[in-house]
Structure formats: C-alpha cells, structure tokens
Amino acid sequence: MPALSAIFLVLAFVLSVTVGSQTKPWTWGVGLLPLGVAASAALPVFWRKGRFSADFGLLALGALAAGWFAWRALTSPVTELGQADLLLLAVVMGVFVSLRAIEGNELAEKILVWGIALLLLANVVVMGRQMIDPSFTPVFRSRSNSAITGFLTHYSESANYLIASTLLVGAAALFGRHSMVTRIVWLLIAAAGLAFIGTSPSRGGILGAAVGGGVFAMAALMVGKRRQARWFPYALVAIPVVGLVIGAFLMMGWQNAQDMRGIEPGMEMVLDNSSRLYFLGMALSCIGLHPLAGGGSRSFSWECFRFGDGKAQGDIITHKPELVHNELVQAATDYGLIGAGLLTALLGALVIVAMIRILLSDSDRTSNTGDAWRLGGLAALAGMFTQSCFSFVFHLLPGILLLGICLGMISRTPPKDVRGPRLIGSKALLSLAAVGCVLLLIPFGWKGSRVTAALWPVYFSKTPLTTEESRIDALTEALRIWPQPSLFKERAFSYQQSAVSSEGADFELATTKAIENYEQTEQLHPYDPNPVVNRANLLSLLKKDTEAEAAYNRAIRLQGGMEPCFHARFSFAKHLMTKALRQFDATDPSAALVTMESSAQQMEESLKQMHWETPDMGGPRVYIHENLGSAREANGDYKGAMAAYDFASTLVNGGRVHYRAGLLYGKMADSAWSSRRPGEALGFFMEAKKRILQARQSLPTHVTPEQRAEYLSYLDKSISYLQGAKVVPVPPAN
C-alpha cells in the first residue's frame, strides 16, 4: 500500500504540473483524483501492526489549524471561492497523510523521489526547448508570456516549482541511501533545475532559491556535525565561500531578472515594487474589518475595493487584485489573526521539530533517508515560503502539493515503538484526515475532470473550436456538471459577443441570454462588480433604463474606489448621455437636460477616482459636455451652455466644440441686434467668428465645411456692416 500511495501521489504531482497549474479550480480535477486514491491507499498503513511513531502534539495542532481553515472556507460568503480553498486544504492534507504512509518504505520512497526527479528533468527539457522557441508549449495551445516557464504557465510558479523540486532531489542525491549511479543522476538533474532558476524573471523566486540554498547548507552542516562526517571540518572552512556563492547567485539572478523585465539595474530598482506595498496596505485595512475571524475565502478580492485609490495607487488597480501576493497576510485577511496565528504556530513547530531531529537523531540510524527528507523539506519550505511573501504560489495546485510534500518530509518521525493513547490518537487523526481528503478530493476531482474534458476543446486544445456557439455549448455542459459563477460569467460574455454580430430578434435573444447569465453570476458571487456593470450595459442597449440605472448604482456601491478597474461611473455616464439623446424633445427639452446634468456629474466623478484620464474616456467626456451645452441651450440657459462649451473645448480633442460656442454667440448676436443693442451684437458677432476659427477644420457631427464657410461669410458681412456704421463693440461678459 505505501508503494501504491507513492505511485498515485507522483501521478497527481505530474498532472498538477502539466495540466492543473491554473487558478481555476476545475482545472485541478485531473490532479485531485489520483491524490484521493493516494490518500485512501495510505489509510490501511496507519493501522498495521508494527512500530509506529506518534507525533500526537503536532498532529493535534495541525488538526486544529485545518479545522479552523475548513470551517471558515465552508462558511465563506462566496461558495466557489470557499470550495477552492477547501480543495487546496484537502490537497495539502492528502499529500501529508500519503507521505506518512510512504516514509520508511524503501520502494515507496524511491518511487516518490524518482517521480519528482523525472518530472523535474522533463520540465528542464521543455525549458531548454523554450529557450530556442519561446512559443513552444507541450500541452496547451499557447503561452501567456515569453518567459521560460516549462510546463507551468507563469514564471513565478515556475520558479517556485524549480526551487522546491531542485532542493528535494538534491537532498535525496547527497544524503539519501541510494546507489551511486542514482545519486549522480539526481544530482545532475538538481543542478540543471538550479541553473534554470537563475534564468527566471521572478525576483522573489531568485531570492527564495538563495534562502533555500542557505538553509540547505546550514542543515547539511548540522547533519555533518551529528554524523561526525569527514567532510565536516572542510565544510566549516568553506562557509564564507558558500556565502559568497549564494550572494553572487542572488545578485546575478536579480540582474538577469531586471534585464528580462527591461528595468534599469541597481538594488533600488529591484526593490522598487510599489504594487506589492499597496496590496499589503489594502490587506491590512481588510484585516481591520474583522481581525479575528477574517472575511472568508478570498475575501480580499472584493473587500479591498473600498480601499482602492486611483490617485495614490496609479494603474496597479486597473486590474482586479484577486490576491494579496503574500500568503501569510492573505491568511490573516481571509481567515483572521486566528488562522494566521495557527498557521504560523504549526509551521514554526514543524521547523523546530525537524531541526531537533536533524541534530539529535540516533547515531545508528544516520544512513537512512530521514536526513534527506528533513533537510530537503526544510530547505524547500524555506525557499517556497520566502517566495510566497511576494506571490500567491500556495493558491495554485503545484505549489500547494509541494507544500504538502515539504510538510510531510520535515515532520518525518524517528523509527521508534510508541504505544498507548498517543499512538491511538495519532492514528485516529491521520485516519480522519485521510477520510476527509478522500471525501473531498475524489468527488470534486471527478467533477473537475469532467469540466476540463468539456472545456478542453475551446480553452486548451491545440486545434480549438473557435466559434461562440461551440464555446457556449461547452460552457453549458460544464455548468451542468459544476455550476460556478466564473463559468456563468464566461458564458454570459460569449452570449454578449454573439449579440455584437447579430441583428434584430437574434440580437435581442443573445442579449437577454447574456443578461440572464450575468444575473446568475451575481447570485453566486454578489460582491463582484464586473457582471453587474456588464448587465447594466446590456440593459442600456435594450433601453430598459430603470433596470440599467439600478444595476449601475449597485455596481458603483460594489466597486468602492476601484473605478479604474470597473468603470461603473463612466459606463453610467455614457448610458445617461444616450438616454438624454433619446429623451430630447424640442417642445419640452427639460427632461433631457436633467439627464445630461446627471451624465456630466457621473463623468466627472469617474475622473476624480481615476489615476489619469485614459484614452477611451476622452471622446465620451467631450461628447457629454458638448451635449450638456446643447441641452442647456435648448432650455434657454445660454450662460450655462457657454460654460459647458468652454469646458469641453479645453479637453483633448475638444476643439470642435468651439464651433458650438461660435453658433451660440451668433445666436446671442442676432438676439441683441433684434433688441436694438448693436454694440453687444457686434461684440457677439466678433466672438462668434473667433470661436469658429478656433475650431479650425474640426467640426461637430452633421456640420460640413461648406456650411462652416457659409456661416463665416455671414459673420463677416454682419461685422463689416456694424463696423461700417461706426458701432463700438461691447465685449461679451464672462
């Protein structure tokens, strides 16, 4: 059974790296299924007769931490996100119990290490191919970036995977009980993995590798001291050299990362990453909302909105900040200080126990693989944890699976006979964990695998189905298997895209379907402004103004300070402008004016929250204030109309509005002349000509160059006539 557990654990690891390295939980299914089998195979091992070491205190602390995280995930406001975190928790527990069954079984241990080593070798080969052809991907259709990442999709998770796998394989090669040939092969694979870490653009990954290497060297010295190894005195002398090598690796790696990112060299630029600091600041504010229990799974992804500030944070909040980019702070945000405290206590206890066992293991057991497990696990954990302070590697399946391997390895128990209540308690806790993992991993793994199979042809296949109809069909099948808000949102977007290319009844049907799917998304995830804004925009297209405006107001409340990301106010402003144009009635323009005033107000409120005026906002902003001027003019408010025209004409690409102002001045001139105020009339005519000329060839819609020339001719004649009559112009009042 230990060998069976090892085989399925390796299979789960391979599938998680090659297929399941996505943030979408349904992509994890193919990795969860074999892990569930591995955990179930471990269960009988715990109740076999024979020597069994109990770690009841550590297991009890782990059970307490796992119980807290599981409870908060189950009670989280968004079910999909709670399920995702619950599955990640089940993964780390499933790997841990599998490692407990594998430890001490020579065949199972070899299967595990060979599995990690061969997958690392395959990943190195893929990375080598990507150095020649950056577009190469062995599994998926395409890659999202040009960095060398191997099987994985992003350079941060690739670096994290390389750190852990390299240190685990390297420890097995140097301190494991294996043949010389095996150890040499593993050492060469580990060296290749280490070399590729240095080529990563991930600055956090390079720092993690350096820290992991330092811990590896320190733990190796501890093992050498305890074993009284012949190389120990030489290793002590070489400590400064090792430090220099690690320092050089760090500096050269950072320099290479800066070059790959196109950033200037220098330590200041390496540390210049204000987005991480802003995310941390927002996370600390979120923690203050519910410090003890946290907001629930991934609650940072919506609670941070209220603390967004486009003026201070710039364009970093033009995208939704899903995660904190610091796993310990993420735990405090989502699971409270209680959760972060339990996690810190558990990790600290495991590290301390591992170091004690490295130093004080029985001398007659020095040749077993316990040192390799503890040393490799400790170094890999240090490297991964360091990088997790700058990324969200433990929210991805490969990272959380490697975390489980590290925790299982550093908690490896010494082979001693234990009896009594502590033994029964330890077996019971491990069995309970295994059963819980199986009950979660296998059903959700089966669901996820079926969803992956349904969506593979449109998402990942190298020969994809590209039509919106095929995409909608695939998403419909996936939703039948596992309803999730993210899938409803994607199907809504597909219907929305279909509506763009449709007309008449087909357009209305596709738009209605999109609205229905956005509504279902909102029901399952009521804190995401994106589907609310999209639904409001579609309702606006259908001229369902009351429903659209209710949705816009809801989106504005949800987005908080995240206008740069969701544009709820900007979208609302455009809707109100369109509505006002529909409302305009020459006999009663008052309703249109009220709506246009609201449109301009929403537009300017949007700009107040923006980091700067983006290119897509300039045109609508000019158009809104131009039409506001027209609405005021139609209602007889010439002063207000001129103020709107003057403001619009100062905006980028607002030159055409000078023409509108010129026409209004001409109208005011005609009125003054009719009222026998020739001085004012001349002043208005002269200002009208000035503004028409300021517009140059930039003209409002439906105004032709011929009309412009004709109107200028009229102004010239009027001005000449009044000047010929010796009229003294009266400049228009400001």
Side-chain angles (χ1 to χ4, degrees), residues 614-678:
T614 55
D616 63 319
M617 300 183 78
R621 190 184 187 195
V622 172
Y623 195 54
I624 286 171
H625 285 282
E626 179 183 3
N627 282 283
L628 174 60
S630 298
R632 287 174 176 174
E633 183 179 343
N635 280 270
D637 180 10
Y638 289 179
K639 184 177 180 181
M642 193 59 70
Y645 290 147
D646 287 344
F647 178 74
S649 64
T650 64
L651 302 176
V652 177
N653 298 321
R656 70 172 185 271
V657 187
H658 283 296
Y659 193 92
R660 295 277 191 196
L663 291 179
L664 180 55
Y665 275 121
K667 184 187 294 187
M668 294 164 71
D670 291 337
S671 176
W673 177 249
S674 299
S675 301
R676 299 183 183 279
R677 301 194 306 274

Coordinates of all heavy atoms in Angstrom, one line a residue, residues 614-678:
T614 N -7.9 58.1 -19.2 CA -7.4 57.1 -20.1 C -7.9 57.5 -21.5 O -8.9 58.2 -21.7 CB -7.9 55.7 -19.7 OG1 -9.3 55.7 -19.6 CG2 -7.3 55.2 -18.4
P615 N -7.3 57.0 -22.6 CA -7.6 57.4 -23.9 C -9.1 57.1 -24.3 O -9.7 57.9 -25.0 CB -6.7 56.5 -24.8 CG -5.5 56.2 -23.9 CD -6.1 56.1 -22.6
D616 N -9.7 56.0 -23.7 CA -11.1 55.7 -24.1 C -12.1 56.6 -23.4 O -13.3 56.6 -23.8 CB -11.4 54.2 -23.7 CG -11.3 54.0 -22.2 OD1 -10.3 54.5 -21.6 OD2 -12.1 53.3 -21.6
M617 N -11.6 57.4 -22.4 CA -12.5 58.3 -21.7 C -12.6 59.7 -22.4 O -13.6 60.4 -22.2 CB -12.1 58.5 -20.3 CG -12.1 57.2 -19.5 SD -11.6 57.5 -17.8 CE -13.2 58.1 -17.1
G618 N -11.6 60.1 -23.2 CA -11.5 61.4 -23.7 C -12.7 61.8 -24.6 O -13.4 62.8 -24.5
G619 N -13.0 60.9 -25.6 CA -14.0 61.2 -26.6 C -15.4 61.3 -25.9 O -16.1 62.3 -26.1
P620 N -15.8 60.3 -25.1 CA -17.1 60.4 -24.4 C -17.2 61.6 -23.5 O -18.3 62.3 -23.4 CB -17.2 59.1 -23.6 CG -16.4 58.2 -24.4 CD -15.2 59.0 -24.9
R621 N -16.1 62.0 -22.8 CA -16.2 63.2 -22.0 C -16.5 64.4 -22.7 O -17.3 65.3 -22.3 CB -14.8 63.3 -21.2 CG -14.9 64.3 -20.1 CD -13.5 64.5 -19.5 NE -13.6 65.4 -18.3 CZ -12.5 65.9 -17.7 NH1 -11.3 65.7 -18.2 NH2 -12.6 66.7 -16.7
V622 N -15.8 64.6 -23.9 CA -16.1 65.8 -24.7 C -17.5 65.8 -25.2 O -18.2 66.8 -25.1 CB -15.1 65.8 -25.9 CG1 -15.5 66.9 -26.9 CG2 -13.7 66.1 -25.4
Y623 N -18.0 64.6 -25.6 CA -19.3 64.5 -26.2 C -20.4 64.8 -25.2 O -21.4 65.4 -25.5 CB -19.5 63.1 -26.8 CG -20.7 62.9 -27.7 CD1 -20.8 63.7 -28.8 CD2 -21.6 61.9 -27.5 CE1 -21.9 63.6 -29.6 CE2 -22.7 61.7 -28.3 CZ -22.8 62.6 -29.4 OH -23.9 62.4 -30.2
I624 N -20.1 64.3 -23.9 CA -21.1 64.5 -22.9 C -21.2 66.0 -22.6 O -22.3 66.6 -22.5 CB -20.7 63.7 -21.6 CG1 -21.0 62.3 -21.8 CG2 -21.4 64.3 -20.4 CD1 -20.5 61.4 -20.7
H625 N -20.1 66.7 -22.4 CA -20.2 68.1 -22.1 C -20.7 69.0 -23.3 O -21.3 70.0 -23.1 CB -18.8 68.6 -21.6 CG -18.5 68.2 -20.2 ND1 -19.1 68.8 -19.1 CD2 -17.8 67.1 -19.7 CE1 -18.7 68.2 -18.0 NE2 -17.9 67.2 -18.3
E626 N -20.4 68.5 -24.5 CA -20.9 69.2 -25.6 C -22.4 69.1 -25.7 O -23.1 70.1 -25.9 CB -20.3 68.5 -26.9 CG -20.8 69.1 -28.2 CD -20.2 68.4 -29.4 OE1 -19.5 67.4 -29.2 OE2 -20.5 68.9 -30.5
N627 N -22.9 67.9 -25.4 CA -24.4 67.7 -25.4 C -25.0 68.4 -24.2 O -26.2 68.8 -24.3 CB -24.7 66.3 -25.5 CG -24.6 65.7 -26.9 OD1 -25.4 65.9 -27.8 ND2 -23.5 65.0 -27.1
L628 N -24.3 68.5 -23.1 CA -24.8 69.2 -21.9 C -25.0 70.7 -22.3 O -26.1 71.3 -22.0 CB -23.9 69.1 -20.8 CG -24.2 69.9 -19.5 CD1 -25.6 69.6 -19.0 CD2 -23.1 69.8 -18.5
G629 N -24.1 71.2 -23.0 CA -24.2 72.6 -23.5 C -25.4 72.7 -24.4 O -26.2 73.7 -24.3
S630 N -25.6 71.8 -25.3 CA -26.8 71.8 -26.3 C -28.1 71.8 -25.5 O -29.0 72.5 -25.8 CB -26.7 70.7 -27.3 OG -25.5 70.8 -28.1
A631 N -28.1 70.9 -24.4 CA -29.4 70.8 -23.7 C -29.6 72.1 -22.9 O -30.8 72.5 -22.8 CB -29.2 69.6 -22.7
R632 N -28.6 72.6 -22.3 CA -28.8 73.9 -21.6 C -29.3 75.0 -22.6 O -30.1 75.8 -22.3 CB -27.5 74.3 -20.9 CG -27.2 73.5 -19.7 CD -25.9 73.9 -19.1 NE -25.6 73.1 -17.9 CZ -24.4 73.2 -17.2 NH1 -23.4 73.9 -17.7 NH2 -24.2 72.5 -16.1
E633 N -28.6 75.0 -23.8 CA -29.0 76.0 -24.8 C -30.5 75.8 -25.2 O -31.2 76.8 -25.3 CB -28.1 75.8 -26.0 CG -28.3 76.9 -27.1 CD -27.3 76.7 -28.2 OE1 -26.3 76.0 -28.1 OE2 -27.6 77.2 -29.3
A634 N -30.9 74.6 -25.4 CA -32.3 74.3 -25.7 C -33.3 74.8 -24.7 O -34.4 75.1 -24.9 CB -32.5 72.8 -26.0
N635 N -32.8 74.8 -23.4 CA -33.7 75.2 -22.3 C -33.5 76.7 -22.0 O -34.0 77.1 -21.0 CB -33.3 74.4 -21.0 CG -34.0 73.0 -21.1 OD1 -35.1 72.8 -20.6 ND2 -33.3 72.0 -21.6
G636 N -32.8 77.4 -22.8 CA -32.7 78.8 -22.7 C -31.6 79.3 -21.7 O -31.5 80.5 -21.4
D637 N -30.8 78.4 -21.2 CA -29.7 78.7 -20.2 C -28.4 79.0 -21.0 O -27.6 78.1 -21.1 CB -29.6 77.6 -19.2 CG -28.5 77.9 -18.2 OD1 -28.0 79.1 -18.2 OD2 -28.1 77.0 -17.4
Y638 N -28.3 80.2 -21.7 CA -27.2 80.4 -22.5 C -25.9 80.5 -21.7 O -24.8 80.1 -22.2 CB -27.4 81.7 -23.3 CG -28.5 81.6 -24.4 CD1 -28.8 82.7 -25.2 CD2 -29.1 80.4 -24.7 CE1 -29.8 82.6 -26.2 CE2 -30.1 80.3 -25.6 CZ -30.4 81.4 -26.4 OH -31.3 81.3 -27.4
K639 N -26.0 81.1 -20.6 CA -24.7 81.2 -19.7 C -24.2 79.8 -19.4 O -23.0 79.5 -19.5 CB -25.0 82.0 -18.5 CG -23.8 82.3 -17.6 CD -24.1 83.2 -16.5 CE -22.9 83.4 -15.6 NZ -23.2 84.3 -14.4
G640 N -25.1 78.9 -18.9 CA -24.7 77.6 -18.6 C -24.2 76.8 -19.8 O -23.3 76.0 -19.7
A641 N -24.9 77.0 -20.9 CA -24.5 76.4 -22.1 C -23.1 76.8 -22.5 O -22.2 75.9 -22.9 CB -25.5 76.7 -23.3
M642 N -22.8 78.1 -22.4 CA -21.5 78.6 -22.8 C -20.4 78.0 -21.9 O -19.3 77.7 -22.3 CB -21.4 80.1 -22.8 CG -20.2 80.7 -23.5 SD -20.0 80.2 -25.2 CE -21.4 81.1 -25.9
A643 N -20.8 77.9 -20.6 CA -19.8 77.3 -19.6 C -19.5 75.9 -20.0 O -18.3 75.4 -19.9 CB -20.4 77.4 -18.2
A644 N -20.5 75.1 -20.4 CA -20.3 73.7 -20.8 C -19.4 73.7 -22.1 O -18.5 72.8 -22.2 CB -21.6 73.0 -21.1
Y645 N -19.7 74.5 -23.1 CA -19.0 74.6 -24.3 C -17.5 75.0 -24.0 O -16.6 74.4 -24.6 CB -19.6 75.6 -25.3 CG -20.9 75.1 -25.9 CD1 -21.9 76.1 -26.2 CD2 -21.2 73.8 -26.1 CE1 -23.1 75.7 -26.7 CE2 -22.4 73.4 -26.7 CZ -23.4 74.4 -27.0 OH -24.6 74.0 -27.5
D646 N -17.3 76.0 -23.2 CA -16.0 76.4 -22.9 C -15.2 75.3 -22.2 O -14.0 75.1 -22.6 CB -16.0 77.6 -22.0 CG -16.5 78.9 -22.7 OD1 -16.4 78.9 -23.9 OD2 -16.8 79.9 -22.0
F647 N -15.8 74.6 -21.3 CA -15.1 73.5 -20.6 C -14.7 72.4 -21.6 O -13.6 71.9 -21.7 CB -15.9 72.9 -19.5 CG -15.3 71.8 -18.8 CD1 -14.2 71.9 -17.9 CD2 -15.8 70.5 -19.0 CE1 -13.7 70.9 -17.3 CE2 -15.2 69.4 -18.4 CZ -14.1 69.6 -17.5
A648 N -15.7 72.0 -22.5 CA -15.5 70.9 -23.4 C -14.4 71.2 -24.4 O -13.6 70.4 -24.8 CB -16.8 70.5 -24.1
S649 N -14.3 72.5 -24.8 CA -13.4 72.9 -25.8 C -11.9 72.9 -25.3 O -11.0 72.9 -26.1 CB -13.7 74.3 -26.3 OG -13.6 75.3 -25.3
T650 N -11.8 72.9 -23.9 CA -10.4 72.8 -23.4 C -9.9 71.4 -23.3 O -8.7 71.2 -23.0 CB -10.4 73.5 -22.0 OG1 -11.2 72.7 -21.1 CG2 -10.9 74.9 -22.0
L651 N -10.8 70.4 -23.4 CA -10.4 69.0 -23.3 C -9.6 68.5 -24.5 O -9.7 69.1 -25.6 CB -11.6 68.1 -23.1 CG -12.5 68.5 -21.8 CD1 -13.7 67.6 -21.8 CD2 -11.7 68.3 -20.6
V652 N -8.9 67.4 -24.4 CA -8.2 66.8 -25.5 C -9.3 66.4 -26.6 O -10.3 65.8 -26.3 CB -7.4 65.6 -25.1 CG1 -6.8 64.9 -26.3 CG2 -6.4 66.0 -24.0
N653 N -9.0 66.8 -27.8 CA -9.9 66.5 -28.9 C -11.3 67.3 -28.8 O -12.3 66.8 -29.4 CB -10.1 65.0 -29.1 CG -8.9 64.3 -29.5 OD1 -8.0 64.8 -30.2 ND2 -8.7 63.1 -28.9
G654 N -11.3 68.3 -28.0 CA -12.5 69.1 -27.8 C -12.6 70.3 -28.7 O -13.5 71.2 -28.5
G655 N -11.7 70.5 -29.6 CA -11.6 71.7 -30.4 C -12.9 72.0 -31.2 O -13.3 73.1 -31.5
R656 N -13.6 70.9 -31.6 CA -14.8 71.1 -32.4 C -15.9 71.8 -31.7 O -16.8 72.4 -32.3 CB -15.3 69.7 -32.9 CG -15.9 68.9 -31.8 CD -16.6 67.7 -32.3 NE -17.3 66.9 -31.2 CZ -16.8 66.0 -30.5 NH1 -15.5 65.7 -30.7 NH2 -17.4 65.4 -29.6
V657 N -15.8 71.8 -30.3 CA -16.9 72.4 -29.5 C -16.8 74.0 -29.6 O -17.7 74.7 -29.3 CB -16.8 72.0 -28.1 CG1 -18.0 72.5 -27.3 CG2 -16.8 70.4 -28.0
H658 N -15.6 74.5 -30.0 CA -15.5 75.9 -30.3 C -16.6 76.3 -31.3 O -17.1 77.4 -31.3 CB -14.1 76.3 -30.8 CG -13.1 76.3 -29.8 ND1 -13.1 77.3 -28.8 CD2 -11.9 75.6 -29.6 CE1 -12.0 77.1 -28.0 NE2 -11.3 76.1 -28.5
Y659 N -16.9 75.4 -32.3 CA -17.9 75.7 -33.3 C -19.2 75.9 -32.6 O -20.0 76.8 -33.0 CB -17.9 74.6 -34.3 CG -18.7 75.0 -35.6 CD1 -18.0 75.5 -36.7 CD2 -20.0 74.7 -35.7 CE1 -18.7 75.9 -37.8 CE2 -20.7 75.1 -36.8 CZ -20.1 75.6 -37.9 OH -20.8 76.0 -39.0
R660 N -19.6 75.0 -31.7 CA -20.8 75.1 -31.0 C -20.9 76.5 -30.2 O -21.9 77.1 -30.3 CB -21.0 74.0 -29.9 CG -21.1 72.6 -30.5 CD -22.4 72.3 -31.0 NE -22.6 70.8 -31.3 CZ -23.6 70.3 -32.0 NH1 -24.5 71.1 -32.4 NH2 -23.6 69.0 -32.2
A661 N -19.8 76.8 -29.6 CA -19.8 78.1 -28.9 C -20.0 79.3 -29.8 O -20.7 80.3 -29.6 CB -18.5 78.2 -28.1
G662 N -19.3 79.1 -31.0 CA -19.5 80.2 -32.0 C -20.9 80.3 -32.5 O -21.4 81.5 -32.7
L663 N -21.6 79.2 -32.7 CA -23.0 79.3 -33.1 C -23.9 80.0 -32.0 O -24.8 80.7 -32.3 CB -23.5 77.9 -33.4 CG -23.0 77.2 -34.6 CD1 -23.6 75.8 -34.7 CD2 -23.3 78.0 -35.9
L664 N -23.6 79.6 -30.7 CA -24.3 80.2 -29.7 C -24.1 81.7 -29.6 O -25.0 82.5 -29.4 CB -24.0 79.6 -28.3 CG -24.7 80.1 -27.1 CD1 -26.2 80.1 -27.3 CD2 -24.3 79.3 -25.8
Y665 N -22.8 82.1 -29.8 CA -22.5 83.6 -29.8 C -23.2 84.3 -30.9 O -23.7 85.4 -30.8 CB -21.0 83.8 -29.9 CG -20.3 83.8 -28.5 CD1 -19.3 82.9 -28.3 CD2 -20.7 84.7 -27.5 CE1 -18.6 82.9 -27.0 CE2 -20.0 84.7 -26.3 CZ -19.0 83.8 -26.1 OH -18.4 83.8 -24.8
G666 N -23.3 83.6 -32.1 CA -24.0 84.1 -33.2 C -25.5 84.3 -32.9 O -26.2 85.3 -33.3
K667 N -26.1 83.3 -32.2 CA -27.5 83.4 -31.8 C -27.7 84.5 -30.9 O -28.7 85.3 -31.0 CB -27.9 82.0 -31.2 CG -29.4 82.0 -30.8 CD -29.8 80.7 -30.0 CE -29.6 79.5 -30.9 NZ -30.1 78.3 -30.2
M668 N -26.8 84.7 -29.9 CA -26.9 85.8 -29.0 C -26.7 87.1 -29.7 O -27.4 88.2 -29.3 CB -25.8 85.6 -27.9 CG -26.1 84.4 -27.0 SD -24.6 83.9 -26.0 CE -24.6 85.3 -24.8
A669 N -25.9 87.2 -30.7 CA -25.7 88.4 -31.5 C -27.0 88.8 -32.3 O -27.4 90.0 -32.3 CB -24.6 88.2 -32.5
D670 N -27.7 87.8 -32.9 CA -28.9 88.0 -33.5 C -30.0 88.6 -32.6 O -30.7 89.5 -32.9 CB -29.4 86.7 -34.2 CG -28.6 86.3 -35.4 OD1 -27.9 87.2 -35.9 OD2 -28.6 85.1 -35.7
S671 N -30.0 88.0 -31.3 CA -31.0 88.4 -30.3 C -30.7 89.9 -29.9 O -31.6 90.7 -29.8 CB -30.9 87.5 -29.1 OG -31.8 88.0 -28.1
A672 N -29.4 90.2 -29.7 CA -29.0 91.6 -29.3 C -29.4 92.6 -30.4 O -29.9 93.7 -30.2 CB -27.5 91.6 -29.0
W673 N -29.1 92.2 -31.7 CA -29.4 93.1 -32.8 C -31.0 93.3 -32.9 O -31.4 94.4 -33.1 CB -28.9 92.5 -34.1 CG -29.2 93.3 -35.3 CD1 -30.1 92.9 -36.3 CD2 -28.7 94.5 -35.7 NE1 -30.1 93.9 -37.3 CE2 -29.3 94.9 -36.9 CE3 -27.8 95.4 -35.1 CZ2 -29.1 96.1 -37.6 CZ3 -27.6 96.6 -35.7 CH2 -28.2 96.9 -37.0
S674 N -31.7 92.2 -32.7 CA -33.2 92.4 -32.7 C -33.7 93.3 -31.6 O -34.7 93.9 -31.7 CB -33.8 91.0 -32.6 OG -33.5 90.2 -33.7
S675 N -33.0 93.3 -30.5 CA -33.3 94.1 -29.4 C -32.7 95.5 -29.4 O -32.7 96.2 -28.4 CB -32.9 93.4 -28.0 OG -33.6 92.2 -27.9
R676 N -32.2 95.8 -30.6 CA -31.6 97.2 -30.8 C -30.4 97.5 -29.8 O -30.3 98.5 -29.3 CB -32.6 98.3 -30.7 CG -33.7 98.1 -31.8 CD -34.7 99.2 -31.7 NE -35.8 99.0 -32.7 CZ -35.8 99.3 -34.0 NH1 -34.6 99.8 -34.5 NH2 -36.8 99.1 -34.8
R677 N -29.5 96.4 -29.7 CA -28.3 96.6 -28.9 C -27.1 96.4 -29.8 O -26.5 95.3 -29.7 CB -28.3 95.7 -27.7 CG -29.5 95.9 -26.7 CD -29.3 95.2 -25.4 NE -28.9 93.8 -25.5 CZ -29.8 92.8 -25.6 NH1 -31.1 93.1 -25.7 NH2 -29.4 91.6 -25.7
P678 N -26.8 97.3 -30.7 CA -25.8 97.0 -31.8 C -24.4 96.7 -31.2 O -23.7 95.9 -31.8 CB -25.9 98.2 -32.7 CG -26.5 99.3 -31.8 CD -27.4 98.6 -30.9

